[in-house]
Every structure is written in structure tokens, then in C-alpha cells.
Amino acid sequence: MFLSVFDLFKLGVGPSSSHTMGPMVAGARFLAALREQPFRAQGLKASLHGSLAFTGKGHATDRATILGLAGFLPETIDTGVAEAALAANRESLILAPEGLGELRFDPDRDLRFDFENALPGHANGMTLSATDAQGDVIFHRVYYSVGGGFVLTEEELARKGEEDRSDAAPKVPYPFASAAEMLAMAEKSGKSIAQMKRANELIFRSDAELRDGLARIWQVMRDCMERGLAAEGILPGGLSVRRRARAIHEKLLAERGMNLTAPHVINDWMSTYAMAVNEENAAGGQVVTAPTNGAAGVVPAVIRYWLDHVPGASERDLPDFLLTAAAVGGLVKHNASISGAECGCQAEVGSASAMAAAGLAAVLGGTPRQVENAAEIALEHHLGMTCDPVKGLVQVPCIERNGLGAIKAVSAASLAMRGDGSHLVPLDSAIETMRQTGQDMSEKYKETSLGGLAVNVPNC
């Protein structure tokens, strides 16, 4: 089992990796497949199913789908150019992706939110179709946005199920598919989790590419945070949620150095760092999936806490943090899910908190067993957390929830560092419990906004 650090940490755009980035990627993939066909299409259609339908408006899934079919990608999108493309489509009812000519696409008729028919492969399903001059479908593909910006066709999803049941492993030096295997390989090799993950990564890229890529991840994370700490105003979407990170941060800066500041105020710093990121995400800004957009604030908040508030912290150790976090995130994704539509928010903020706890324990000098313990503590205490965004927006309770996820991550790492790595519940058991809990969880608590806070808080 191998998932790159750059699979878990991807440059993208808010507000959702599964509902915004995923549909945009699916649109671009559909265009690529359409370019290979021997015929010339005249129009496009899209149908959104399951969670993509129920919370699509709040997550900007409709806009992302149109932009994907226009040829935009999350990692390179220019928001100004994208807005112009959306406006042009509303006016002309035409999309003109590169190499395919002008294609009819009326958002009111050709983009359908199907609330009745869920697709069988995953809660986040969509069908994209090409039509001829008469409007008849001549080519179509089914895509599933499986969390964190990952997109699979229905054929790839079926193939993935077969691969998961096989013994095949990529040719990497340390092909751990479970935490138990990871710890056994660490003990046998004498290497840290970060060192094993680095060795795996270097099979696919040079040392310079890995170094520069990790530096780029942190730079985008930090830039996003700084924008969030500087911005004010009301977030889009109709809930009238006011940005709070800047005001809280200014108060914390004013209090710095005061002898009477309570120790627990450090929690406010962590929450503010996380909220700044997720306020930017809610506004549609550039973020890094960590492992998803909805949980994008946890890992950077813990990194910022470590760098700015922990004596002896240095950015030279940042690669170890990110590589360790990615190793844990890969285990969660491989053995359970990072999708809120599949397993609730335990799969998003819970996974992010486990990743951040592992990364922090690693840079604090933790052994592999202490790192695994930190991840387990963080994940265990998010088990059962539902995904119930008010009005389908990635705002309430999502923004504050990232702050609490960061606090739990730091607490988990600290507790793990106080022990020797011995503990009762293995990380593998916590991951499996999360998978089972998500499987048993009612659909109304899995990113459909049909239960929980989404129906008990006035949102209009």
C-alpha cells in the first residue's frame, strides 16, 4: 500500500475537497476521455447524486462541475478567470474546453441534482455525459469523489476493491498497510516512520523534488493561514457567519507578555490558527487538503503552534512532521475512509487530528510507538463524530471543529510523549472502529445536512 505525501497534501480550492475539488477533477478527466473519442460531441450534461446532490449548493458543487467541464483544475485555478468563465456560460449557454470546440451547456437544464437515486459505489457520485446535435447521450462516465480530492471512475472503484483484496504491493522499501506492519518495519530497520516514508517517496521522485514539494506544501498552508488572520467580513453562503480569526488573533497579540495570561490561552492560539485556514476555505480560497478541505486547518495549526510556541522547534524538521502525518493519513484512507460522506466527520477532522498528533510526536523526538500512540489517542476521541453542516456549508460546525481537532492533536501527542508507547488500543483498532462506526452511521449524519445541527439550527 502506497499513498504519496503529495496525495494526502494536495493544493486545491475551497470549500470542499470531495464536493468542490472532486467534481472539478472529474470534469477535467471526462474532457480528457472525450478528446480520445472518434466523434465530435455537441453538448454536455451532468447529474449529481447522494451527498453531492443534498449539499451540492452549499459546497459549490454546481460551480465546480461547470468549471471542471470548462477545463479548470483545482491546483491551477485562477479565481478571476473562473468567475469570468461562469459568467460567460450563463450568458451564452456554451462551454468551450480546449480541443473540443463549443459545447452546449445550460446550467438550469443540463446540471441535475438527483435527490432520489444514489449511485451504488459511493455517497459522492456523479454522471457526466456528452450529447449529439439532437441532445441524445453518445458518451458517459460515472465518477465517484471518494474524499480528499481523490476521484475514481466506477471501473476504477471496482478494480480498487479487487486490489485491496490482493497481496500485490508497490515496489517500495517499506510497504506497510497497517500500523502494526509500520511498527514492525520500524523496529526491524531501526528507522523512524518519517525515514521509512521518505525512502518510499524517493522511489518515485528525487530528493530535491521531495524537499521542494514539502516546502511548497507548508508555504501554501502558511500563506492560507496568514490570509485568514488578516481578513474580515461575512463568509459567503447565506448563514451570515462572520470571520473571527483576525479579531481573536489581534487580542492574543495584545495580551502576549502579560503576566496574568492563563495557561489555557494557548488553546486560543491553536484554534485561531485553524479557524483562519478554514475561514479561507469557506470563502473558496486556496488551501491544502490535510487530508481534506473540511479538515484543512488542523495540521497547519499544529505545525504553527509547534514552530511559534515550542522551544527548540525548527523548520528543518518540518519534512519529518509532514512525512509522518502522511504515513498515518495513508493508513486511515487505505483501511477506512477520509470522506465525511462515507464515515462522518470522524473521517475528516478525526483523521486530521491523528495525522497532526503523529507529526507533532515525531518532531518532539517520539519513538515510532509513541507516534502511533499519539495518532491513536487523537483518532479514538473523535470516534462517532457526525458530519452535519448547517445549510450544507463548510462553516458551522466545521470551522471551530478544526480548532478543537488541533487542540486534541497536541494533547494526544503530549500524553503519548509522557509514556513509552505501550497502550491498550492499537491504532489499527481505532481505524477499524472508525470504519465500522461510519458504516453503521445513519446517512442523515454523513454530509447530507438531513440531521444533527443541520436541522436543529435556524439557517435561513
Side-chain angles (χ1 to χ4, degrees):
M1 190 279 294
F2 177 77
L3 277 173
S4 171
V5 62
F6 302 114
D7 291 326
L8 274 300
F9 298 117
K10 293 193 289 287
L11 273 61
V13 62
S16 172
S17 49
S18 58
H19 288 63
T20 313
M21 289 174 58
M24 196 180 298
V25 170
R29 290 192 61 186
F30 181 75
L31 295 180
L34 189 56
R35 292 186 185 102
E36 296 176 355
Q37 304 310 308
F39 49 79
R40 185 182 184 281
Q42 300 294 322
L44 298 169
K45 291 182 181 291
S47 181
L48 306 174
H49 301 262
S51 178
L52 291 184
F54 283 110
T55 63
K57 289 288 186 181
H59 287 83
T61 307
D62 48 349
R63 292 162 52 86
T65 301
I66 298 169
L67 290 172
L69 292 174
F72 289 86
L73 285 168
E75 62 267 28
T76 57
I77 190 169
D78 181 309
T79 54
V81 176
E83 288 299 326
L86 291 169
N89 173 245
R90 288 193 297 269
E91 180 71 24
S92 67
L93 307 183
I94 293 291
L95 293 174
E98 183 179 355
L100 291 169
E102 292 189 344
L103 300 170
R104 295 190 306 270
F105 186 85
D106 181 347
D108 293 333
R109 291 189 316 154
D110 297 325
L111 179 58
R112 180 186 177 206
F113 289 83
D114 189 337
F115 301 103
E116 306 297 328
N117 303 297
L119 297 180
H122 190 276
N124 291 331
M126 62 190 299
T127 299
L128 299 177
S129 305
T131 59
D132 61 15
Q134 289 72 45
D136 295 327
V137 173
I138 54 175
F139 179 70
H140 86 283
R141 287 276 171 89
V142 174
Y143 294 94
Y144 293 104
S145 180
V146 297
F150 291 89
V151 173
L152 299 172
T153 65
E154 58 183 339
E155 294 82 10
E156 289 168 342
L157 188 67
R159 200 157 58 241
K160 179 180 180 298
E162 292 301 321
E163 290 170 355
D164 284 350
R165 289 188 289 273
S166 76
D167 294 327
K171 297 185 184 305
V172 295
Y174 304 100
F176 50 84
S178 68
E181 290 179 359
M182 180 177 72
L183 291 177
M185 290 179 190
E187 184 172 355
K188 182 178 180 179
S189 67
K191 294 183 179 293
S192 69
I193 293 169
Q195 288 171 332
M196 293 192 298
K197 182 66 174 167
R198 177 182 292 277
N200 288 348
E201 294 285 343
L202 292 178
I203 296 298
F204 303 96
R205 54 189 53 85
S206 70
D207 186 71
E209 288 172 332
L210 179 60
R211 181 188 65 245
D212 293 346
L214 293 174
R216 172 67 172 154
I217 287 171
W218 171 236
Q219 185 63 54
V220 175
M221 284 180 171
R222 187 148 197 161
D223 287 349
C224 176
M225 190 183 301
E226 291 299 334
R227 290 195 304 273
L229 291 173
E232 295 180 298
I234 303 297
L235 294 171
L239 280 182
S240 298
V241 172
R242 182 174 296 278
R243 288 178 180 256
R244 292 183 291 156
R246 174 175 175 169
I248 296 173
H249 189 236
E250 287 177 346
K251 290 179 180 178
L252 289 169
L253 289 172
E255 295 169 3
R256 178 177 273 173
M258 293 177 60
N259 292 332
L260 297 180
T261 302
H264 66 254
V265 170
I266 192 61
N267 292 333
D268 297 343
W269 285 94
M270 286 185 275
S271 292
T272 303
Y273 295 147
M275 289 167 61
V277 172
N278 285 86
E279 286 175 356
E280 277 297 290
N281 178 64
Q286 187 183 48
V287 298
V288 175
T289 62
T292 66
N293 283 31
V298 177
V299 169
V302 174
I303 293 175
R304 181 73 177 266
Y305 157 77
W306 165 62
L307 287 174
D308 289 6
H309 301 271
V310 177
S314 170
E315 285 199 14
R316 69 173 177 271
D317 296 324
L318 186 61
D320 286 351
F321 191 116
L322 292 173
L323 289 167
T324 305
V328 168
L331 293 176
V332 176
K333 186 180 188 310
H334 179 69
N335 294 301
S337 175
I338 57 172
S339 167
E342 193 171 18
C343 286
C345 198
Q346 58 175 355
E348 295 206 31
V349 171
S351 298
S353 188
M355 292 167 64
L360 181 59
V363 295
L364 292 178
T367 66
R369 291 193 176 277
Q370 287 173 315
V371 168
E372 184 261 359
N373 188 14
E376 186 280 323
I377 294 170
L379 183 59
E380 179 182 338
H381 297 292
H382 283 89
L383 291 176
M385 182 175 282
T386 60
C387 183
D388 49 354
V390 176
K391 205 176 179 181
L393 299 167
V394 193
Q395 298 179 15
V396 179
C398 320
I399 294 171
E400 285 183 354
R401 189 168 281 177
N402 275 256
L404 274 293
I407 291 169
K408 285 186 182 181
V410 173
S411 296
S414 183
L415 282 173
M417 294 298 291
R418 295 291 183 181
D420 62 1
S422 302
H423 56 108
L424 182 63
V425 180
L427 176 58
D428 288 330
S429 295
I431 292 172
E432 173 60 14
T433 301
M434 190 259 274
R435 187 194 68 79
Q436 293 176 6
T437 302
Q439 191 174 47
D440 294 340
M441 191 180 289
S442 169
E443 294 298 319
K444 67 183 181 180
Y445 297 119
K446 292 193 285 190
E447 212 165 1
T448 58
S449 291
L450 297 175
L453 286 175
V455 299
N456 288 308
V457 174
N459 57 44
C460 59

